[in-house]
Amino acid sequence: MNRFSEFTADFEEKRRVRRVSSAAAGVSISACPPGGAATGSLTARTAQTSRAAVHIMLSRSCLLDDRSRAQLCSGCFCSGLVSVPRTCADEEFRCRSGQCVSLSFVCDSDSDCDDGSDEASCPAPTCGPGSFQCNNSVCVPRLWACDGDTDCADGSDEWPQNCAGGTGQQPQTVCRDHELLCASGECVHGSWRCDGSGDCADGSDEHNCTALTCRPDEFLCNDGSCVPGMRQCDGNPDCRDHSDEMDCVTVHACAGPGRFKCGSGECISADGVCDGQRDCRDGSDEPLKDCNTNECLTNNGGCSHTCSDLKMGYECVCPAGFHLINRTHCEDVDECADTDRCTQICINLPGSFRCDCKDGFELDHMTKDCKAVTGSGAFLLFSTRHEVRKMALGSRTYTALIRQQKNVVALDVDVHSDRIFWSDASLKKIYSAAAADPAHRSTVIDSRISRPEGLAVDWVHGNIYWTDGELQTVSVATADGSKRKTLVSEGLQNPRAIVVDPHFMFWTDCGEPARIEKSGLNGADRTALVTEHIAWPSGVTLDVMSGRLYWVDSKLHTLSSIGVNGDRRHTLIQDQLTLPHPLALAVFEEKVFWTDVSNNGIWSTNRVTGRDVAAVAEHLQSPADIVLYHSLRQPSGQDWCRDAAALNGGCEFLCLPAPQINTHSPKYTCACPDHLTLAADMRTCGSSDAKFTFTWCLNKCVLAVCTHPPYNDKIHPVHWRMKNTNTIHFTNPVYQKKTDDTVHIFRSSSLDGYSHPSCQMISMDEDAA
């Protein structure tokens, strides 16, 4: 039985194909094979030739996978668009639509098939004591009920009759003064109202808009605004979207090798030069001394390489890989100045260049891409509000790694410790869990946090960084959350995504004006990296190997990259259909991946050219953040805070890496919690309002205010050391408690000064004791 016979027999067996007509010329079939939804028809016909050729044509609306198409068409008998359903793996479930999803997603109360068939025919669940049963019988964690967010498909978890005291109604979103409240509940920039681009999830920012009409002497910008027509294509953008400077073409009448410009200004055909006929008014096309003279015969015309004689005069020509630096001399072209030449390392050679890869990667000599050859297999982790899912690269099958979350927004990993970190915007917390045991999570941050929309792991120093759009801050904490510090709090409007490398952190600000900023991991050397052609930078990622930063802009519908020092900016994609509302992105090898909440999926493209856009995962519910898990994405580095002679770099609280601006830069600096400041030794912490001087009272008393652990918790025996003497033990100490500070009043017969690394001295009158 040949392959086509097997194909049609399988259709008959499954009763999925209906034969409509039969004739010598062919067979017409009105349905797609299993997994396809067609509006057209499938036609088979055989030609009477020495070798039968079978042509199978399917409607373009048959949504089937490429792998099966390639298997069916591996012979010489296919033409046109051919699709067949792929075979689902043993651990997969076939949806009625033909889609394959993980078996673990069947009857999990979340539709993963695009037709919902993975949740059809499921028994009514029995909810446990820690769950709330929706009106449609689905169980959700009780923590989600009556919290203002609708989690049941029917909204019953927020119905007033199911919530004590009538709570559960969606709280009214409060937008800032410069923002617009969408009907769908989110806030967008007020200036985006009626600009011709739907920025609200429901497009309500473009409802009830009056189309603007410009005067005849004005230019209509793409955003709907008008600018004076004389300013179009003047080299200076006047439209906010710079559309008045797009598609500008300067036409030169004499441009091109076939035209010659006369000295008198007119243009003639180049064929008329030195032909014995005066075509120019001034005769400049027939100069006697230049026509029929070969200047290349004398000293090669002064050219360093090739001299080419022309009808009039001559020109110097450079070989491939060189360019003219003046009229006569050629210089080597630095191909490596072009960021598109190589994906990792570019080595310039005389007249050419060579690509190379960093340790752990190997060069594909056909594509010039660097492929990982060490480390375990790479996979993507992405969040879908209630879950964190895992998908191996090259596979379209994903599994749930972390389940039953409230509202996962930000996500990152520490590959070397095999630990996952994520933030929950509804619960206002940051969690972590071992990748090998994701069910047992730990709470890292649960206070002084409001809207943690960005999260990044410093894998070298073991810290986490996050942005808070509500508090307008960028903060750092140890991986267990025991020590934390606000690093940036000034000049932020709406900080969003954040990413780090071993020395710097980069974050986006979706305020107005929007920007991408950069600073050291200790908050020092803050600078704006991107300030132009940017509106809503919702996601950012970093390719440490190439030293390039990638970001997506949900307003401008762009995917762009730039060097970590702000050079070599490049726009890979600018297209509203491809990037309707991207949220987050990740990069590895030659690809960049991103999530899109409008397209409900994950997509990829070549990270150098922006070509070969492809769907990685589709039909996702609220895809948000995405990270790539592979050891080569987080190369090892030196932790000076651990390698220093003193424990924790000698810092009493936090030891943070410093930006390596030049050869004299410190390797790290110390930091204190927000309510304390660094003492004069730049290592210990003291009260921010304590004085640095002290005086003796009349009866020889001195006051010491201890403002950090363990002295701010309880009284400890304190040993004071007199300068240049042995330790003195004070007797008869008197103390009193003031707010959070423990106040010690020590009495001594000595009038010499004393110091202690854990306390600061302030003066105090005898009466106050």
Side-chain angles (χ1 to χ4, degrees):
M1 180 182 292
N2 61 31
R3 216 164 158 187
F4 176 68
S5 299
E6 293 176 345
F7 176 75
T8 54
D10 183 59
F11 279 17
E12 294 293 345
E13 179 184 358
K14 296 183 179 181
R15 307 180 66 86
R16 297 296 297 271
V17 175
R18 179 169 56 87
R19 197 176 305 272
V20 176
S21 63
S22 178
V27 179
S28 178
I29 303 171
S30 64
C32 273
T39 57
S41 63
L42 181 151
T43 303
R45 65 179 184 271
T46 59
Q48 302 300 321
T49 61
S50 59
R51 182 174 182 180
V54 180
H55 301 271
I56 302 174
M57 304 292 294
L58 286 182
S59 165
R60 287 185 178 272
S61 60
C62 291
L63 303 178
L64 302 174
D65 72 294
D66 293 334
R67 185 176 66 183
S68 297
R69 179 186 300 125
Q71 290 174 349
L72 179 65
C73 295
S74 59
C76 61
F77 52 87
C78 287
S79 68
L81 177 65
V82 180
S83 299
V84 296
R86 77 176 177 91
T87 303
C88 295
D90 293 339
E91 66 276 8
E92 291 181 319
F93 169 81
R94 177 181 290 283
C95 308
R96 280 197 296 263
S97 64
Q99 180 186 2
C100 298
V101 300
S102 173
L103 278 175
S104 62
F105 293 162
V106 178
C107 296
D108 66 349
S109 302
D110 189 8
S111 295
D112 296 284
C113 293
D114 53 359
D115 59 3
S117 55
D118 59 316
E119 299 302 314
S121 305
C122 295
T126 301
C127 300
S131 299
F132 172 87
Q133 188 160 19
C134 303
N135 196 54
N136 59 1
S137 300
V138 174
C139 301
V140 298
R142 181 161 294 280
L143 182 66
W144 297 359
C146 304
D147 66 347
D149 291 325
T150 300
D151 298 291
C152 294
D154 55 13
S156 55
D157 59 315
E158 303 300 323
W159 288 353
Q161 59 268 35
N162 292 334
C163 300
T167 60
Q169 298 300 314
Q170 181 73 24
Q172 180 67 32
T173 302
V174 177
C175 297
R176 300 185 182 128
D177 293 340
H178 66 281
E179 292 179 328
L180 169 72
L181 176 62
C182 303
S184 48
E186 71 271 25
C187 300
V188 298
H189 290 300
S191 61
W192 298 351
R193 165 77 172 151
C194 297
D195 66 352
S197 175
D199 301 296
C200 295
D202 58 359
S204 55
D205 58 313
E206 298 301 316
H207 293 172
N208 301 320
C209 295
T210 302
L212 293 178
T213 302
C214 296
R215 296 197 312 264
D217 63 333
E218 291 181 324
F219 173 82
L220 176 62
C221 304
N222 288 343
D223 61 6
S225 59
C226 302
V227 299
M230 62 180 299
R231 295 183 181 176
Q232 180 187 10
C233 296
D234 63 354
N236 297 312
D238 298 286
C239 297
R240 288 177 298 181
D241 57 7
H242 296 229
S243 56
D244 59 315
E245 296 301 321
M246 297 178 182
D247 302 321
C248 296
V249 178
T250 301
V251 179
H252 298 283
C254 296
R259 305 291 290 172
F260 174 80
K261 185 174 183 179
C262 303
S264 50
E266 69 271 26
C267 297
I268 64 171
S269 171
D271 295 335
V273 177
C274 294
D275 64 351
Q277 300 291 329
R278 293 169 58 107
D279 299 291
C280 294
R281 292 194 302 268
D282 59 358
S284 56
D285 59 319
E286 301 293 331
L288 295 178
K289 67 175 183 178
D290 293 328
C291 290
N292 302 317
T293 300
N294 189 347
E295 296 86 352
C296 294
L297 297 178
T298 304
N299 193 29
N300 196 39
C303 299
S304 62
H305 287 74
T306 302
C307 180
S308 176
D309 186 44
L310 303 175
K311 283 186 175 182
M312 181 190 302
Y314 70 99
E315 66 176 356
C316 296
V317 181
C318 298
F322 292 82
H323 66 117
L324 279 172
I325 57 173
N326 50 42
R327 287 190 67 250
T328 59
H329 285 75
C330 299
E331 185 180 72
D332 175 49
V333 174
D334 183 7
E335 292 87 355
C336 295
D338 183 358
T339 59
D340 294 348
R341 292 293 181 181
C342 303
T343 57
Q344 286 190 5
I345 299 174
C346 182
I347 302 171
N348 188 45
L349 302 173
S352 183
F353 69 99
R354 178 168 59 88
C355 295
D356 204 350
C357 301
K358 296 191 177 182
D359 292 343
F361 292 86
E362 188 175 89
L363 184 68
D364 185 325
H365 293 283
M366 292 294 294
T367 64
K368 303 301 180 183
D369 295 329
C370 292
K371 301 290 187 179
V373 293
T374 63
S376 58
F379 56 86
L380 292 168
L381 293 179
F382 60 94
S383 60
T384 58
R385 181 168 178 172
H386 295 323
E387 291 183 339
V388 175
R389 295 179 176 180
K390 173 182 176 180
M391 179 172 61
L393 282 190
S395 170
R396 295 178 69 90
T397 301
Y398 46 82
T399 58
L401 195 64
I402 301 173
R403 294 178 176 271
Q404 290 194 331
Q405 302 304 295
K406 177 57 181 170
N407 189 10
V408 180
V409 176
L411 182 69
D412 204 2
V413 297
D414 186 337
V415 176
H416 300 286
S417 66
D418 201 32
R419 199 159 190 86
I420 304 172
F421 294 80
W422 70 95
S423 68
D424 192 304
S426 295
L427 300 181
K428 300 181 180 182
K429 293 182 181 181
I430 296 176
Y431 299 97
S432 75
D437 187 20
H440 294 84
R441 69 183 185 186
S442 300
T443 301
V444 180
I445 301 293
D446 61 358
S447 63
R448 290 180 287 138
I449 186 171
S450 184
R451 203 173 76 206
E453 293 183 309
L455 179 65
V457 175
D458 174 7
W459 64 92
V460 173
H461 306 93
N463 298 321
I464 64 169
Y465 293 77
W466 72 94
T467 62
D468 194 308
E470 184 67 30
L471 301 181
Q472 300 175 324
T473 55
V474 177
S475 302
V476 63
T478 51
D480 60 0
S482 60
K483 299 177 181 178
R484 60 184 287 181
K485 169 75 174 177
T486 302
L487 292 178
V488 184
S489 59
E490 299 293 331
L492 296 178
Q493 290 189 36
N494 189 11
R496 189 79 174 258
I498 187 169
V499 67
V500 303
D501 68 12
H503 300 290
F504 292 91
M505 61 178 174
F506 309 82
W507 68 90
T508 68
D509 192 329
C510 294
E512 197 164 347
R515 61 183 54 215
I516 297 177
E517 294 192 82
K518 166 188 176 182
S519 81
L521 292 176
N522 60 354
D525 192 35
R526 177 182 174 185
T527 182
L529 199 66
V530 180
T531 58
E532 296 181 344
H533 309 301
I534 186 170
W536 196 355
S538 52
V540 66
T541 192
L542 176 67
D543 180 30
V544 179
M545 292 299 178
S546 64
R548 289 193 70 78
L549 198 72
Y550 295 77
W551 78 94
V552 285
D553 194 306
S554 297
K555 174 63 178 175
L556 302 181
H557 312 291
T558 56
L559 168 60
S560 307
S561 71
I562 197 170
V564 293
N565 294 320
D567 59 338
R568 300 171 294 141
R569 178 170 175 172
H570 182 51
T571 299
L572 284 79
I573 300 175
Q574 184 172 12
D575 181 51
Q576 187 168 354
L577 294 178
T578 304
L579 299 166
H581 199 145
L583 284 185
L585 69 170
V587 63
F588 187 65
E589 294 181 337
E590 81 284 5
K591 289 186 178 181
V592 57
F593 307 85
W594 71 90
T595 60
D596 195 293
V597 70
S598 292
N599 283 339
N600 292 320
I602 300 173
W603 307 79
S604 70
T605 189
N606 184 286
R607 69 175 180 85
V608 175
T609 65
R611 294 192 290 266
D612 303 324
V613 176
V616 177
E618 297 179 272
H619 313 294
L620 301 177
Q621 300 295 324
S622 303
D625 207 357
I626 183 172
V627 296
L628 193 133
Y629 195 104
H630 194 280
S631 58
L632 291 177
R633 197 182 72 85
Q634 296 180 341
S636 59
Q638 186 170 11
D639 183 357
W640 286 97
C641 292
R642 295 180 183 177
D643 298 341
L647 181 65
N648 194 37
C651 300
E652 179 190 351
F653 191 64
L654 271 175
C655 179
L656 299 175
Q660 299 305 291
I661 303 170
N662 53 52
T663 56
H664 302 287
S665 298
K667 304 300 182 185
Y668 63 88
T669 59
C670 299
C672 295
D674 292 345
H675 65 288
L676 300 178
T677 58
L678 277 172
D681 62 2
M682 303 305 290
R683 284 182 168 83
T684 58
C685 301
S687 174
S688 59
D689 58 356
K691 300 177 182 178
F692 286 91
T693 60
F694 66 94
T695 59
W696 290 94
C697 304
L698 294 177
N699 66 341
K700 303 172 185 177
C701 70
V702 66
L703 174 68
V705 181
C706 307
T707 57
H708 55 83
Y711 299 100
N712 63 336
D713 296 329
K714 54 187 176 180
I715 302 303
H716 290 262
V718 179
H719 296 266
W720 293 90
R721 181 179 296 277
M722 182 185 296
K723 293 180 179 178
N724 302 320
T725 64
N726 294 327
T727 299
I728 297 177
H729 297 271
F730 285 91
T731 59
N732 190 28
V734 180
Y735 65 88
Q736 61 182 5
K737 185 77 172 179
K738 288 187 176 180
T739 63
D740 293 331
D741 299 332
T742 300
V743 179
H744 295 254
I745 300 177
F746 297 95
R747 303 179 185 276
S748 172
S749 59
S750 173
L751 294 179
D752 292 326
Y754 302 100
S755 63
H756 190 275
S758 63
C759 298
Q760 296 177 346
M761 305 300 176
I762 63 173
S763 61
M764 183 175 182
D765 295 333
E766 177 66 14
D767 293 341

